[in-house]
Amino acid sequence: MPSPRPRRVVVIAAEPVSMFNLAVPDMLFARVEVDGAPGYEVELCTPDPGPVRTNGPAEVVIRSGLDAVDGADTLIVPGTGSREEPDPRILAAVRRAAAAGARIASICSGAFLLAEAGLLDGRRATTYWMLTEEFGERYPTVDVQPDVLFVQDGPMLTSSGYAAGIDLCLHIVRTDYGAAVANAVARHALVAPVRCGGQAQFTETPLPAVTGTSFADTRAWAMTRLDQPLTLTDLARHAAVSVRTLNRRFRAETSVSPLQWLLHQRIQRARELLETTTLPVDQVARASGLGTADSLRQHLTRRVGLTPSDYRAAFSRLPAA
């Protein structure tokens, strides 16, 4: 059987473009391999091919024009240092891609271009937290989510600043190819494989010092015991703190409670087992710490909208029998 064609990801650079935002999609999507073949092809484009100003001292050379948008499966608009009077050619290209059925995404202030194109009217969206007030005032018909990493509303995805673009791209990979493929990409890039879109952009509580108070060791310890019943007392005992201190400091580090984090990791483990093994569903549930097949079904359906069997059929990385 021939491998399916790679999905086309087109990234539009609007001057002055954020170099970091521009690099993230290429860095992550270019790492995706599915059955030994590339999962994506990435193309950068801009209204006037050639040197493109960035929001720093350097320029980047982009060789493709906006006709690259035609046929895109996913179109990404990175952040730009200019939010005033966006190039009408970019607005037209974004609208054209949306009308053709492409998935449309933005990183950081790229959400301003999507909103200016009218694609976010009546939808939930986010942008960099320092810009959310301006964004809401300029586009009152958009339901602004001020303190999340990324938001998906139908085919429109928006992320907050900088590193949240990594989370958004990994979310796209998980949606297209499953958790195991996305986690492999994250390992290559040396980034955390899973951060929920609803996780806070930042916390005003200072992060604990690395030495002595971080719960990274406790999280790593728990990851090797997901199949075991773990309580708040177990986690607190390992961290050598009280349960109250664990709850407070854990939330400061991760923006979620210890038990929410634990459930999320168990669901992710179950997804990987469904993708990479032939274990029966009840064994997957036990191995991931979710207990029963019914419990796994409820959590997976709530999280991704698929039953375990449907998820396995869609994302299995095993060769067909």
Side-chain angles (χ1 to χ4, degrees):
M1 292 288 293
S3 298
R5 71 166 180 85
R7 299 171 187 257
R8 287 196 70 233
V9 175
V10 176
V11 185
I12 295 181
E15 291 186 312
V17 68
S18 162
M19 289 186 67
F20 183 88
N21 287 183
L22 190 64
V24 163
D26 184 59
M27 175 184 70
L28 295 176
F29 291 118
R31 289 282 189 176
V32 176
E33 285 193 2
V34 181
D35 300 328
Y40 298 94
E41 60 178 31
V42 182
E43 187 169 5
L44 309 183
C45 69
T46 194
D48 299 305
V52 175
R53 288 184 301 118
T54 71
N55 56 3
E59 290 184 334
V60 294
V61 176
I62 296 180
R63 306 187 188 284
S64 297
L66 293 178
D67 55 350
V69 167
D70 298 329
D73 297 299
T74 299
L75 178 66
I76 299 179
V77 181
T80 172
S82 175
R83 298 181 300 282
E84 303 293 335
E85 299 182 359
D87 191 317
R89 294 172 294 175
I90 293 180
L91 298 180
V94 170
R95 293 185 186 112
R96 190 168 74 246
R103 174 171 49 196
I104 311 293
S106 67
I107 300 174
C108 196
S109 60
F112 282 77
L113 277 165
L114 301 192
E116 189 67 26
L119 300 184
L120 300 181
D121 290 347
R123 296 185 183 272
R124 292 176 297 116
T126 193
T127 188
Y128 185 48
W129 66 271
M130 291 184 69
L131 302 176
T132 52
E133 184 175 352
E134 175 189 347
F135 187 80
E137 291 175 353
R138 188 177 297 186
Y139 305 108
T141 59
V142 180
D143 181 5
V144 183
Q145 309 290 300
D147 56 359
V148 297
L149 292 178
F150 64 85
V151 174
Q152 177 166 7
D153 191 327
M156 304 295 161
L157 298 93
T158 52
S159 70
S160 56
Y162 298 102
I166 296 174
D167 299 299
L168 179 138
C169 290
L170 289 175
H171 170 73
I172 290 173
V173 176
R174 281 196 302 275
T175 300
D176 290 343
Y177 294 115
V181 173
N183 288 348
V185 174
R187 283 191 291 272
H188 278 299
L190 298 178
V191 297
V194 176
R195 291 202 300 172
C196 303
Q199 186 169 321
Q201 289 190 29
F202 71 105
T203 174
E204 294 182 355
T205 304
L207 293 180
V210 173
T211 56
T213 57
S214 171
F215 293 121
D217 288 345
T218 296
R219 293 196 296 273
W221 173 82
M223 288 292 290
T224 66
R225 293 164 174 80
L226 292 179
D227 60 331
Q228 302 174 23
L230 293 175
T231 65
L232 284 174
T233 300
D234 295 328
L235 296 172
R237 184 182 299 117
H238 182 273
V241 296
S242 69
V243 169
R244 182 177 179 180
T245 297
L246 174 80
N247 271 313
R248 175 170 53 84
R249 292 183 178 172
F250 197 101
R251 187 179 288 275
E253 283 192 43
T254 66
S255 299
V256 295
S257 72
L259 293 183
Q260 287 173 321
W261 177 86
L262 194 58
L263 175 61
H264 188 73
Q265 303 310 317
R266 283 175 164 156
I267 294 171
Q268 289 304 113
R269 176 66 54 82
R271 291 172 71 171
E272 286 208 48
L273 291 173
L274 289 169
E275 293 171 28
T276 59
T277 75
T278 58
L279 288 173
V281 171
D282 59 341
Q283 291 185 31
V284 170
R286 289 196 297 271
S288 57
L290 291 171
T292 67
D294 283 343
S295 176
L296 169 58
R297 187 175 298 107
Q298 291 173 7
H299 285 298
L300 194 65
T301 302
R302 186 179 304 120
R303 182 63 59 89
V304 301
L306 295 172
T307 66
S309 58
D310 288 341
Y311 186 88
R312 173 170 272 163
F315 293 112
S316 175
R317 302 266 61 89
L318 299 174

